[in-house]
Amino acid sequence: MANFTIQNVSIALSDDYATVDVQIVDGAIVAIAPNLQVIGTGIDGKNKLLLPGFFNAHTHSSEMWQRGIMSVFPLELWLAELYDFAPLDPEQVYLSALGTAVETLLSGGTSVVDHLVLIPGLELETIAIATRAYREVGIRAFIAPLIQDESLTAGMPSGESAQTHEPYFRSAAATLEIIEEAVRQFHRPDEGVNILVAPTGIQLCTDALFEGCTELSDRYNLCRHSHLLETRAQEKLAEEKYGCTAVEHLKRIGYLSDRTTLAHCVWLNDADIAILAETESTVVHNPLSNLRLGSGIAPILKYRQAGVNVTFGCDGASSNDSQDLLEAIKMGSILHNVTDSDYQHWITPRQAVEMASLGGAKGLNIADKLGSLTVGKQADLVLYDLTNLSLLPRTDPIGLLVLGRPTNVVDSAWVNGKQIVADGKVTTINVDELRQELFNRSQWETKRKSETVAQIESHYRTVMGLSNTKK
C-alpha cells in the first residue's frame, strides 16, 4: 500500500478553512498539520479542497439499463413496467455496476450501497459479478441483495376489493439460505466488500423474512437495509396489513437498530419519527427519485430536529435517472427550504457535506473508521479542483460544491489509501471501453407498453382515489 502526503491542501474547520498537509500511511490518516515532512509520494494540494468521501447510501445499479425510458408513473406502476423489461444477463449486471461505481466516484462518492436486483436462479452469481465489478474499480461496496417473498401485486393496498396474489417463486427460508451463503462467500469488510441484509420493504416481505434477516444480521454482525414508506400507497398498505404504522411494526419485530438504514421514509408521522430517533435508525434521503415518481417530500428537517441520522442516496438510475451524488446532495438540501418557513432549520452546505460523509458512515456502523478527516481513520478521501470553471469565482469552497452545479470537479480519490481517481479520471478500469460496451449493448428506443401496468392500473387508480376515465 502506497504512503503519500497531500501538501498545502484546504480542509474545512468548524466554520472556516485551513491549509495543511495530510499524511497517509498504510491506508490511514496519520497526521494533519501545516508543514509536515513528506512521507512517501508528495501530492500537490494547492487550490484544492480535501473532503472525506461521500456515501451513495441507496441505489440499484442494474436499473442503469432503463434510464431515460421509464414512463412518468408513480412507484407501484413504475415497478410493474421496470420488471416487465428488466430481464438481465450477468454481463449487464457487471457493466452497470461498473457504471454506477464510476459515476459515484466522479461525483464525490467513495462508498456505494447497492440494493442489488438478483437474477432469479442466478442469485449468488449476480452477487459475485457485482462484487467483481466493485473490486475492479476499487470503490468501497456495501452490497445489499434485494430480497422479497411476496409477489408484485401484494405491494398495493387492496382497498374494498378482495385481492389474491400468486405465491412468490422462492420461499423465505430458501432466500435466507442464499443470503447466508453470500455472507460466507463475499462479506470481506477489511477488503472493502460488505454484504447487508436487505428485504425490499414491508410491501413485499413477510415478517418471517424480516425476522430471518434480523437473526442473520445479529449472528454475522451485518448492517440492515430496506425501503420504508416511499409512497402513500405503502402507508395505506401497512395499515391494512398490520393495523398500525409500518415503523411501529418494524420496531415490534426488532428490525430497527443503530445499523439499520431505511431508504425514502417519506410518509412517517411524528410518533414514527420518535421511534427512528429512539432506535438510532438512519434515514437515506433520495430526493430525486421521490420527485421523479411523485412519492412526496420526506420530512428531513423534522428528522434532523428529532436527532435522527440522515444521509443521501441517488436511488436507482431509472428513477433518478443518474448517479450524480452532488446533484442528490444539492436537491436534498435546498428542497426542504419550502417545507419550513423557519430558515434557521434549513440545511447549510457544511451540514449537507457532513450528512453525505459522516451520516453515511454512522448508518453503516463505521463512523469510527470513516466519514471525517480525522487522524486514525481510513483514507477514503476526495480532492476537488477549486480552479475548475464551475467552482469559480472564488467564494466559499463547500458552498460552491453543494449549491453550484459542479461538473468534472473531482481531481483525485482514494479508498483505504489506494488512489483510484487521478487527474479527474478513474485509473483502475478503462472507462472508454465501458462506454463502448454500454453503447453496443443497448439501442435507441422511445415507446414501449407494459402489459402488467395495463392489468393493474385500473385497480391502482381506484385504491388511490383517482378517476378511471381516460383523458
Side-chain angles (χ1 to χ4, degrees):
M1 202 177 285
N3 299 334
F4 59 97
T5 305
I6 306 172
Q7 300 175 274
N8 300 314
V9 73
S10 288
I11 62 164
L13 305 177
S14 58
D15 59 356
D16 198 8
Y17 295 88
T19 301
V20 296
D21 298 344
V22 180
Q23 290 173 341
I24 312 298
V25 175
D26 295 337
I29 301 168
V30 295
I32 302 173
N35 308 316
L36 293 172
Q37 79 176 84
V38 174
I39 294 180
T41 312
I43 290 166
D44 184 7
K46 194 170 189 305
N47 297 323
K48 296 189 178 80
L49 172 69
L50 187 67
L51 290 177
F54 299 146
F55 287 74
N56 183 355
H58 176 71
T59 187
H60 309 276
S61 60
S62 61
E63 280 182 19
M64 180 174 276
W65 292 97
Q66 296 201 62
R67 67 177 174 191
I69 181 72
M70 292 295 296
S71 298
V72 178
F73 276 149
L75 176 78
E76 287 73 20
L77 301 179
W78 175 93
L79 265 179
E81 180 183 316
L82 183 80
Y83 282 129
D84 271 359
F85 297 103
L88 292 163
D89 64 55
E91 189 61 17
Q92 284 178 303
V93 170
Y94 172 69
L95 293 169
S96 52
L98 289 179
T100 296
V102 168
E103 291 190 1
T104 296
L105 274 170
L106 295 179
S107 56
T110 50
S111 290
V112 61
V113 177
D114 188 356
H115 208 176
L116 182 69
V117 176
L118 303 177
I119 301 172
L122 296 175
E123 292 86 358
L124 287 165
E125 289 88 333
T126 309
I127 298 166
I129 289 158
T131 301
R132 175 165 69 96
Y134 290 133
R135 278 180 176 271
E136 282 176 17
V137 176
I139 199 168
R140 198 178 290 274
F142 296 82
I143 297 174
L146 188 147
I147 50 175
Q148 65 193 74
D149 60 347
E150 294 184 297
S151 296
L152 195 64
T153 52
M156 282 203 290
S158 304
E160 303 298 303
S161 59
Q163 297 285 308
T164 52
H165 309 295
E166 289 290 308
Y168 195 62
F169 75 93
R170 191 178 57 227
S171 69
T175 298
L176 290 163
E177 274 174 33
I178 289 168
I179 300 305
E180 185 164 12
E181 186 53 37
V183 173
R184 286 197 200 104
Q185 288 188 33
F186 308 112
H187 185 60
R188 303 285 182 275
D190 295 347
E191 297 169 29
V193 177
N194 305 264
I195 300 294
L196 280 64
V197 294
T200 183
I202 60 109
Q203 68 280 10
L204 294 171
C205 300
T206 63
D207 286 357
L209 190 60
F210 272 109
E211 286 164 348
C213 283
T214 301
E215 192 275 325
L216 282 177
S217 153
D218 290 342
R219 186 147 39 105
Y220 291 103
N221 192 26
L222 308 171
C223 289
R224 309 170 189 175
H225 191 61
S226 187
H227 296 107
L228 179 63
L229 294 174
E230 184 173 353
T231 64
R232 208 157 53 87
Q234 289 172 10
E235 181 188 39
K236 286 175 183 279
L237 179 70
E239 195 56 47
E240 283 182 6
K241 237 173 135 164
Y242 311 124
C244 65
T245 71
V247 177
E248 287 174 71
H249 187 73
L250 287 180
K251 183 191 175 189
R252 195 178 295 160
I253 62 174
Y255 194 72
L256 304 180
S257 76
D258 62 355
R259 54 170 189 242
T260 304
T261 51
L262 302 160
H264 303 292
C265 298
V266 179
W267 294 92
L268 276 65
N269 64 32
D270 290 349
D272 293 336
I273 294 172
I275 291 172
L276 292 190
E278 172 201 331
T279 56
E280 296 180 55
S281 303
T282 289
V283 170
V284 183
H285 184 29
N286 302 278
L288 292 152
S289 62
N290 292 345
L291 291 169
R292 158 87 152 97
L293 302 175
S295 303
I297 298 178
I300 297 300
L301 301 184
K302 280 187 173 184
Y303 293 139
R304 286 175 50 80
Q305 285 162 62
V308 175
N309 183 45
V310 181
T311 191
F312 299 103
C314 290
D315 206 1
S318 62
S319 65
N320 174 331
D321 297 348
S322 95
Q323 295 295 301
D324 185 332
L325 200 44
L326 286 167
E327 183 184 42
I329 293 166
K330 174 177 179 173
M331 182 59 81
S333 309
I334 62 175
L335 176 60
H336 304 285
N337 300 2
V338 301
T339 66
D340 186 339
S341 58
D342 188 344
Y343 52 88
Q344 290 184 348
H345 296 153
W346 296 355
I347 297 168
T348 67
R350 282 176 182 248
Q351 288 168 339
V353 161
E354 187 172 336
M355 289 161 72
S357 48
L358 193 59
K362 278 182 185 164
L364 294 160
N365 217 21
I366 45 172
D368 57 330
K369 297 188 179 74
L370 290 172
S372 62
L373 292 183
T374 307
V375 170
K377 287 199 179 184
Q378 290 171 345
D380 285 23
L381 306 171
V382 178
L383 195 57
Y384 296 91
D385 177 4
L386 298 177
T387 68
N388 180 288
L389 183 61
S390 62
L391 297 181
L392 288 170
R394 288 186 284 168
T395 57
D396 177 349
I398 289 177
L400 291 162
L401 194 66
V402 172
L403 297 173
R405 183 68 184 92
T407 53
N408 310 321
V409 292
V410 170
D411 174 88
S412 304
W414 295 264
V415 171
N416 205 26
K418 180 185 177 208
Q419 186 161 17
I420 57 178
V421 177
D423 298 323
K425 295 197 167 39
V426 175
T427 55
T428 44
I429 64 162
N430 185 327
V431 176
D432 286 335
E433 262 175 35
L434 171 63
R435 280 193 311 148
Q436 199 59 56
E437 281 288 314
L438 289 168
F439 186 90
N440 292 346
R441 286 173 169 271
S442 52
Q443 67 282 319
W444 305 116
E445 56 179 324
T446 47
K447 263 303 177 225
R448 9 173 245 193
K449 269 281 179 256
S450 159
E451 286 182 18
T452 311
V453 170
Q455 290 160 16
I456 66 173
E457 187 170 14
S458 168
H459 171 70
Y460 175 84
R461 292 187 67 83
T462 301
V463 294
M464 296 310 292
L466 302 166
S467 84
N468 263 310
T469 50
K470 285 270 181 259
K471 10 177 212 197

